[in-house]
Amino acid sequence: MGGRFISFEGIDGAGKSTHIDALAARWRAAGHEVVLTREPGGTDLAERLREQVLHTGMDALTEALLVFAARRDHLRQVIRPALDAGHVVLCDRFTDATFAYQGGGRGFDPHVLATLEGWVQEGLQPALTVWFDLPAAVAAERRAAARSPDRFESQDTHFFERVRAGYEARREQDPGRFLQLDASLTREAVWAQLVAGLEARGW
Ligand SMILES: Nc1ncnc2c1ncn2[C@@H]1O[C@H](COP(=O)(O)OP(=O)(O)OP(=O)(O)O)[C@@H](O)[C@H]1O
Ligand SMILES: Cc1cn([C@H]2C[C@H](O)[C@@H](COP(=O)(O)O)O2)c(=O)[nH]c1=O
């Protein structure tokens, strides 16, 4: 397996984290170099921006500028070097989250987001985006049991249904890039879907 960029998406509480770790372990055991990272975050600067985005009040344009600034640093310092070295990059969220949260959730102009996407990524997209899809109400039940909420996690189910619709719009624009999973099933069933989708791609 050469350099390969895979992103993982879904509304908060969809269940990405467990499966990303399991996939990293599976591929490392098979001898691959795997870089596990996340957005916003993944570098010192981007982690500091993440702290602000998750906990400081701001408008949607400011959110979008900060997540794209963090992404630019992350791409230059971590993602591109890892791909150039032939590593697998597993990234917990990427630009689809910006279209889903700032675009869908906050209602911000997707054309502005598309301009920023072009500047920041210079054509780079994940080879595959795994979308953990489930109804907002189910995710809310899972989150309630899990932790104290940040600025996004404290939003209501209407916000998360708009975020989910934002993901669906991105999938429709580039269906070949997306592996959509029914994340409302048990952990074992979700894992089975993920493995089947990867094996169908020869991974
Ligand atoms: N298939 C599942 N069925 C029931 N509960 C689950 C399932 N998958 C994960 N959970 C639980 O739901 C909660 C949220 O899961 P997790 O933190 O993995 O989601 P996430 O998508 O990474 O969320 P976030 O993006 O907000 O960090 C956790 O308590 C986790 O144990
Ligand atoms: C990349 C990105 C993320 N967000 C939001 C989505 C989540 O609510 C948080 C990150 O928290 P997680 O527990 O690490 O998933 O940030 C966003 O609004 N826009 C983005 O581009």
Side-chain angles (χ1 to χ4, degrees):
M1 192 185 304
R4 185 159 289 156
F5 181 21
I6 303 178
S7 62
F8 297 82
E9 297 285 358
I11 60 177
D12 290 85
K16 295 175 278 95
S17 304
T18 315
H19 297 291
I20 297 173
D21 291 344
L23 184 59
R26 179 185 170 98
W27 278 346
R28 282 175 181 147
H32 302 296
E33 285 285 345
V34 178
V35 174
L36 258 186
T37 190
R38 70 172 180 182
E39 290 211 348
T43 68
D44 288 348
L45 172 59
E47 289 291 335
R48 277 184 274 149
L49 294 174
R50 174 191 176 92
E51 199 53 31
Q52 299 306 317
V53 170
L54 266 54
H55 299 292
T56 304
M58 63 187 76
D59 75 350
L61 173 58
T62 311
E63 268 179 26
L65 293 171
L66 291 184
V67 294
F68 272 116
R71 182 161 302 133
R72 177 73 180 178
D73 194 54
H74 190 208
L75 277 165
R76 284 170 54 83
Q77 293 208 48
V78 175
I79 296 176
R80 282 190 187 277
L83 294 174
D84 289 346
H87 300 163
V88 176
V89 176
L90 303 183
C91 192
D92 188 341
R93 300 192 184 281
F94 194 62
T95 303
D96 298 307
T98 315
F99 281 85
Y101 280 78
Q102 282 65 54
R106 302 281 195 222
F108 187 69
D109 185 347
H111 299 102
V112 176
L113 299 180
T115 300
L116 293 170
E117 178 184 33
W119 286 349
V120 166
Q121 289 164 228
E122 299 173 306
L124 182 72
Q125 290 289 355
L128 176 70
T129 296
V130 181
W131 176 23
F132 291 76
D133 181 34
L134 82 176
V138 180
E141 281 171 24
R142 291 183 186 176
R143 287 198 309 276
R147 62 208 155 202
S148 60
D150 60 34
R151 286 180 65 239
F152 297 100
E153 291 165 342
S154 55
Q155 297 292 321
D156 64 18
T157 52
H158 300 293
F159 175 87
F160 283 106
E161 282 302 348
R162 293 197 300 278
V163 173
R164 187 185 184 194
Y167 279 123
E168 174 57 19
R170 285 288 276 183
R171 189 196 66 76
E172 285 171 8
Q173 286 166 14
D174 193 3
R177 177 164 64 83
F178 277 78
L179 170 59
Q180 182 176 358
L181 307 181
D182 181 352
S184 67
L185 303 178
T186 63
R187 288 178 185 80
E188 295 72 22
V190 175
W191 175 249
Q193 291 176 77
L194 173 58
V195 169
L198 295 170
E199 288 180 352
R201 287 166 171 79
W203 300 350

